[in-house]
Amino acid sequence: MNNENFCCERLKGAYLVGNGFGLNFRVIQYSEKLYNELKQIKPSMLNRGFVITSGYKNSIDDEETMKMVINHCPFCGQNLKEFYKSDDYVQETIG
Ligand SMILES: [Zn+2]
């Protein structure tokens, strides 16, 4: 991916590290099926999620993956959905 921009160096670092390295920051997209289910619960829901994990082997969606969904950058406070709009940021689709 080229021309990537990040809200700050620290989040960029957490985004770029390998899956097994914790803590890492991941941008995920919900499958169409899952997204449609989520929208029933919360209509304003995005098809995108921002997640901090403690590291994982295969998929962020593995049951043993410890993860936390976040809305703002923990380092600089940036609103993530406003900054990371491009599909180019998406690292994994789940659901
Ligand atoms: Zn930041």
Side-chain angles (χ1 to χ4, degrees):
M1 284 184 289
N2 298 317
N3 299 320
E4 267 186 296
N5 291 305
F6 292 86
C7 56
C8 62
E9 283 298 317
R10 291 182 73 185
L11 197 67
K12 178 181 181 178
Y15 176 94
L16 292 176
V17 294
N19 293 345
F21 189 91
L23 302 171
N24 61 49
F25 169 64
R26 292 292 179 260
V27 181
I28 60 168
Q29 191 159 23
Y30 305 119
S31 70
E32 208 175 320
K33 180 175 171 287
L34 177 60
Y35 182 48
N36 286 332
E37 289 168 13
L38 292 170
K39 268 197 301 192
Q40 309 251 322
I41 303 162
K42 191 180 171 197
S44 64
M45 185 97 190
L46 277 185
N47 68 343
R48 181 88 41 103
F50 305 98
V51 187
I52 297 281
T53 91
S54 61
Y56 56 93
K57 284 193 189 115
N58 303 309
S59 167
I60 205 166
D61 208 22
D62 289 343
E63 225 166 83
E64 65 267 27
T65 305
M66 288 182 62
K67 54 184 179 287
M68 181 172 68
V69 176
I70 58 171
N71 296 317
H72 294 86
C73 175
F75 306 117
C76 73
Q78 172 66 46
N79 184 322
L80 297 171
K81 72 174 189 297
E82 285 176 6
F83 193 96
Y84 297 94
K85 280 179 182 163
S86 166
D87 286 345
D88 290 347
Y89 289 112
V90 174
Q91 291 157 300
E92 184 174 338
T93 300
I94 65 164

